[in-house]
Amino acid sequence: MRRFRYILLLLALMLSPQLIFAEEEKHEELNVQEIIFEHMLDSYSWHVTKIGEKDIVIYLPVILYSKTSGWHVFSSRRLHENGGSYEGFYPADQESAHAGKLMEKMADGTMVRPIDLSLTKMALALLINGALVLLLFLPAARWYRKHEDDREAVPGKYVSFVEMIVTLVEDSIVKPCVGKNYRKFSPYLLTAFFFIFTCNLMSLIPFFPGGVGVTANMSITLFLAACTFIAVNVFGSREYWKEIVWPDVPTWLKVPIPIMPFIEFIGIFTKPIALMIRLFANMLGGHMAMLVLTVLIFIGFSAGKVLGGSMTFLSVLFNIFMNALEVLVAFIQAYVFTLLSSVFIGSAQVEHHKKELKIDKE
Amino acid sequence: MSLLIPDSGLLFWMLISFGVVFFLLAKFGFPIITKSVEKRRGYIEDSLEDARKAKIQLAKVEEDSKAIVAEANKEQGRVLNEAVEQRDKILANAKEEASKISQKELDTAKAQIQKEKEEAMLSIRREVAALSCDIAEKIIRQKLSSEEAQMDMIEKMLDEVSTLTKAEKTA
């Protein structure tokens, strides 16, 4: 997200009207879609900022494995220097499914996607966010380990804060939703919550270590949903599987044609897919809205100075609102993901559900 | 469209970064925090329970001590009363005893005095008798210094004795 840069740039431009014309002449065609997708998509380098005419870019390593030519490891600076292509790898077509990625040109002219393990902008952002999460919790955990036997130790502000957020998640989400086996799943759910929350918040910071919408990326949410899927199904109780294969419904619903088991089976996959799409769509939506509001400024200026000025005012106003909203959404989405994961895990921990009911009736 | 298609490279990096974070936090992070918090919670609950118990105990002790003090006060009053009673009784007894003893002493003294008086009277009588005998003897000696007087006397005495024996015989 470089809208802050745009806003600052714009303020500078407003002070010198002559420059505006120059800028307008340079960028006559304003491709809104391209600007937005450039921000939402991954890239091989991290464009930090622009000072004057000089771009400040972090060039990240490109790691590719081709079945024909083996491993290729090079800095993305090479791509930049060679107009996007290097060592037989070319950027994919903008319209294709792999837009923005490198493709290998084969001998017969076809483009094949290599195995791409490049440390991209999003990968780096993930590492930074992960490090931040560790930095938040490990020192607090060390304090606890140090004071393990001292029952009257009083934690300081930082440790108290960590304790507060950890107990908040554990007491209000994990314990009530997972049930009595919560201890086994609590570390995963806590990690998921704080990882997502940190990523969401970092994506709202418009400059270097932040500003990358990792949770607005399908790969990330797919991974997180897959973790929940594993937690639900691998650690599911026998009763849970019994209810899928042989649910408690009239027999004709399951014997000749297994309608209910089929629906239950579909349900296994729809739950994590819902998790994946929800987080992705919410974060993507918020970022898109902010980007569109920012781009409005440029659209306004391409129509005229007066419109541009008023558009700027409105845009900044709306962006402040959107940012505040997104901070809320950042928390809510992390909360919802953890909550639903807990509920799904908890529902897979059912035990002797029917027996209890019978006892109740008696 | 590429926005919707998961990328294997990113999945790999996500696996590394989330995996490392999860591993470290699950091993060294959250369990110790939650365990310590739970332990502290238990400790606080125990302490509160202890404090509650101590309070109850204290109240009980206070009540007991009050009861003890009240009991002691009562006892003190009782003992004082008893002491006063005892004192009065002893005094009365002592008075009675003293008066009895003094009476007795008085009586013995009186008796002694009486006895001594009698003895004195007796000895005085004896003295007087002896004295009167002496005097009588002396008088008689003086009176009977002559022969005729002695014969008269004898005569007279004989008369007297004979009258006495006559009287006795007649009697």
Side-chain angles (χ1 to χ4, degrees), chain B residues 36 73 83 88:
Chain B
S36 302
N73 277 341
D88 289 354

Side-chain angles (χ1 to χ4, degrees), chain A residues 37-331:
Chain A
F37 275 85
E38 188 204 321
H39 284 85
M40 297 313 302
L41 285 175
D42 208 356
S43 77
Y44 289 104
S45 58
W46 194 327
H47 186 279
V48 178
T49 188
K50 195 172 183 177
I51 298 173
E53 282 301 301
K54 197 169 174 276
D55 282 311
I56 307 234
V57 182
I58 297 171
Y59 292 106
L60 299 162
V62 178
I63 304 160
L64 299 168
Y65 179 76
S66 156
K67 272 165 197 153
T68 49
S69 56
W71 288 98
H72 294 264
V73 179
F74 51 89
S75 164
S76 60
R77 186 188 285 273
R78 303 282 97 72
L79 292 174
H80 182 71
E81 283 163 355
N82 296 301
S85 56
Y86 189 71
E87 286 186 0
F89 294 98
Y90 296 90
D93 189 19
Q94 281 298 325
E95 306 301 314
S96 78
H98 300 296
K101 303 283 181 198
L102 285 173
M103 304 291 267
E104 190 177 17
K105 199 174 215 167
M106 301 312 249
D108 56 357
T110 52
M111 299 290 246
V112 175
R113 176 102 175 99
I115 293 171
D116 187 352
L117 298 179
S118 310
L119 184 74
T120 58
K121 184 168 84 170
M122 282 199 176
L124 182 64
L126 280 174
L127 294 179
I128 291 170
N129 295 346
L132 278 175
V133 174
L134 288 180
L135 217 68
L136 177 62
F137 290 106
L138 287 183
R142 203 180 59 201
W143 184 89
Y144 278 108
R145 202 168 305 113
K146 216 182 262 175
H147 296 85
E148 208 174 356
D149 302 318
D150 183 9
R151 290 194 305 176
E152 281 170 11
V154 178
K157 281 178 193 161
Y158 153 69
V159 177
S160 299
F161 171 73
V162 168
E163 187 182 310
M164 185 195 78
I165 53 178
V166 169
T167 47
L168 168 81
V169 175
E170 199 175 54
D171 288 350
S172 69
I173 306 177
V174 180
K175 267 187 211 170
C177 294
V178 178
K180 65 175 164 48
N181 283 341
Y182 79 91
R183 234 171 261 277
K184 194 160 70 178
F185 301 100
S186 159
Y188 163 66
L189 291 165
L190 285 166
T191 311
F193 178 86
F194 290 111
F195 195 87
I196 295 171
F197 190 38
T198 308
C199 287
N200 288 352
L201 283 183
M202 287 299 283
S203 72
L204 294 175
I205 296 171
F207 41 82
F208 165 61
V212 184
V214 283
T215 39
N217 186 294
M218 203 61 130
S219 313
I220 308 307
T221 59
L222 172 78
F223 181 89
L224 290 166
C227 289
T228 297
F229 178 82
I230 290 167
V232 170
N233 293 293
V234 172
F235 299 103
S237 66
R238 192 182 292 171
E239 203 72 15
Y240 163 73
W241 286 107
K242 204 223 100 194
E243 277 177 16
I244 286 166
V245 181
W246 197 254
D248 200 14
V249 288
T251 319
W252 60 270
L253 276 173
K254 45 194 178 182
V255 164
I257 316 155
I259 303 172
M260 282 310 289
F262 180 70
I263 291 170
E264 293 277 356
F265 185 72
I266 298 281
I268 296 176
F269 297 97
T270 51
K271 284 173 191 170
I273 288 171
L275 274 183
M276 170 178 89
I277 305 274
R278 180 178 294 110
L279 181 58
F280 163 73
N282 273 294
M283 296 322 290
L284 184 79
H287 289 183
M288 282 251 187
M290 287 194 282
L291 281 170
V292 169
L293 284 171
T294 311
V295 169
L296 270 182
I297 297 169
F298 297 94
I299 296 171
F301 271 103
S302 65
K305 264 188 279 179
V306 180
L307 192 65
S310 53
M311 214 49 117
T312 309
F313 178 72
L314 274 178
S315 170
V316 169
L317 216 64
F318 275 113
N319 250 325
I320 291 169
F321 169 73
M322 276 308 291
N323 250 313
L325 187 71
E326 279 301 297
V327 173
L328 189 66
V329 169
F331 179 78

Side-chain angles (χ1 to χ4, degrees), chain B residues 4-15:
Chain B
L4 294 175
I5 292 160
D7 178 57
S8 58
L10 208 51
L11 277 175
F12 167 76
W13 286 106
M14 179 63 180
L15 176 71

